Structure formats: structure tokens, C-alpha cells
Amino acid sequence: MGNRPSYPGTPRWVKVSGIIVIVLVVLVVIMLLSGHGPGRHTSSAGDAGSQVVLSGVTDEHSLAEVRRG
Amino acid sequence: MIMAPRLRNVALVAHIALSVGWIGAVAGYIALDVAAATSRNAETLRACYLAMELIAWYVLVPLALAALLTGLVMSLGTKWGLFRHYWVLISLLLTIIASVVLLVETQTISHFATVAADPATSGDDLRSLGSTLVHSVGGAVVLLVILVLNVYKPRGMTRYGWRKQYEQRPKQYTLEPDPTYKEGS
């Protein structure tokens, strides 16, 4: 009872999960560096985080929709 | 400090309700997110972005923070501890990551809603906003992983947990069968 058993080590499921996470992180980093990341959802109107350039003046149909609503 | 059984059950009910509620809220958010990503109708897009902001700020963020808080209470107030078992530690890390990503993403969602709320915003501008689908679906996957970890509780102690277990063994642990244990209890 006096001797403490040695630590059995990290479980296999933790190691496998860790490898999967590392692979996913590397893939995401590659995607971001190649310009295919999720930040692109704002990139059509400029860089991520920038203000959208409005063209409401030229879109009379949409304005009419809003007024009608 | 280990919680009394009655208090532990109250905390457990709260933690399950808040955590599963978070998953359900994400599912509802994803429905709006899919509509925002696929719809060409300006009114639908406007409604989606405004609803997404409301859900994000008034449902997702409170549920995420409350689930994180009750998770901390459950781990620190029970024998599981916070850093002793890998499944608890990984659940904690994933919950923190999901909460931080959510808080960062609310800035994007609020930006979408601000643009959508402006009557001068055209249909083309609304269609060019896009969605947060990658983050919302990714968040749902992370939450489901946390749910699986919490239900199955896979074996495996951290080095810290292993050391603590044997430090406390003379006081709390024994290799002998527990005489108070009853089959099926």
C-alpha cells in the first residue's frame, strides 16, 4: 500500500483526439492563409470587418420593398 | 468542496438544461443562418439577420456563459474535479473556446443586423453579406462532442488527478470493497 503506482500515461482516446485536432487546426490555418477561410463572408464588400458599401440609391426595388413593409 | 447530494442534483439539472438549451438554440440559429446563406429574397435576409442578432445576444451568449458557470460548479463541487479527468478538462477547454468564438462572432452578427436594419440597404447589399454558417455549424459540432464526453465520461486521469488521488487515498480511498455499496443503488 505504501508505494504509489506509476502514472499509466495519457489514454489512447486523448492522443487520437489530439492528433485529429492538430490536423484540423493545420487544415484551417492552410485554408485561412490561402484565402478560403470563413472570414470571406464579409469580403465581398471589402476586407473583413470593414463597412459594407451601400448601393441602396440605385436599388429602387429594394427600397420600395422596405417602405411597403 | 463536495456538494451535498440535494444541492448537486439541483446544480446538475441546471447544467443539463442550460447546456442542452445551448445546443437547441444553436440549432434554431443555424436554421436562420442557412436561410441567410441561401435566400435571394431581401425581406427574408433582413428578417434573418435581425433575428440572428437577437438569438445571439439574448439566447446564445447567456446560455453559453451560464453553461460554462454551472459546468465549473459541477466539476469543482463533485469528486470529478476540474483538472483530474481528461473528459472534464477537454470539455472545459472546448466550452471556453466555443464561448470565446461565439463572443467574437457576435460582432460580425451585430454588423450584419446593423446593415440589415438600415432601410437604405439594398437587396444586393444584403445578399453580399453572407452568413456565419461555418462558425455556427462548427459550434454545433463542438457542443455535440462536449455532450458525448459528458455522457460517456471516457476513462483517463491527468497526471495531476493521478497524484491527487493517491495523496487523498489514506483519507478517502480504499482498495477494499465499500461496505455501504448496494447492488442496483
Side-chain angles (χ1 to χ4, degrees):
Chain A
M1 284 291 285
N3 288 340
R4 180 177 23 165
S6 61
Y7 179 62
T10 307
R12 190 167 55 187
W13 70 268
V14 176
K15 292 177 183 172
V16 172
S17 304
I19 291 169
I20 292 171
V21 168
I22 289 170
V23 169
L24 287 176
V25 168
V26 169
L27 284 175
V28 168
V29 169
I30 291 172
M31 283 173 65
L32 288 173
L33 292 177
S34 63
H36 292 86
R40 281 182 66 82
H41 52 61
T42 54
S43 62
S44 58
D47 293 334
S50 67
Q51 291 296 310
V52 172
V53 179
L54 302 179
S55 60
V57 177
T58 60
D59 197 341
E60 294 299 328
H61 178 68
S62 293
L63 282 175
E65 280 181 353
V66 172
R67 291 191 188 110
R68 195 171 61 241
Chain B
M1 188 184 77
I2 303 297
M3 288 186 286
R6 190 170 294 180
L7 179 61
R8 187 186 62 211
N9 285 342
V10 171
L12 180 61
V13 167
H15 182 57
I16 291 173
L18 293 164
S19 305
V20 176
W22 186 8
I23 296 174
V26 170
Y29 179 89
I30 287 175
L32 295 171
D33 219 353
V34 169
T38 58
S39 178
R40 307 295 299 165
N41 182 282
E43 289 180 358
T44 302
L45 289 170
R46 208 179 291 276
C48 284
Y49 289 128
L50 295 175
M52 282 161 65
E53 187 190 33
L54 290 175
I55 290 181
W57 279 112
Y58 298 113
V59 184
L60 290 176
V61 170
L63 283 176
L65 298 180
L68 178 60
L69 185 66
T70 53
L72 288 172
V73 170
M74 282 305 300
S75 55
L76 293 173
T78 63
K79 67 185 174 79
W80 294 105
L82 198 53
F83 304 110
R84 297 184 178 202
H85 297 265
Y86 276 107
W87 74 266
V88 178
L89 185 60
I90 293 172
S91 296
L92 171 68
L93 291 175
L94 289 177
T95 306
I96 291 173
I97 291 170
S99 301
V100 169
V101 170
L102 171 64
L103 288 172
V104 172
E105 199 65 9
T106 51
Q107 305 305 312
T108 304
I109 299 165
S110 290
H111 170 66
F112 288 173
T114 303
V115 174
D118 186 350
T121 305
S122 70
D124 285 338
D125 287 330
L126 287 171
R127 282 185 281 274
S128 71
L129 284 177
S131 70
T132 57
L133 207 50
V134 172
H135 289 103
S136 56
V137 172
V141 171
V142 169
L143 294 183
L144 289 174
V145 168
I146 296 171
L147 178 64
V148 169
L149 283 175
N150 279 259
V151 170
Y152 285 92
K153 299 178 175 57
R155 285 172 178 270
M157 296 190 89
T158 61
R159 193 177 291 276
Y160 168 79
W162 186 263
R163 193 175 69 242
K164 282 288 180 186
Q165 177 182 335
Y166 281 95
E167 282 176 6
Q168 294 176 355
R169 172 158 280 186
K171 287 181 285 183
Q172 294 183 7
Y173 291 86
T174 172
L175 290 173
E176 307 301 322
D178 183 354
T180 61
Y181 177 78
K182 290 178 182 173
E183 196 72 39
S185 62

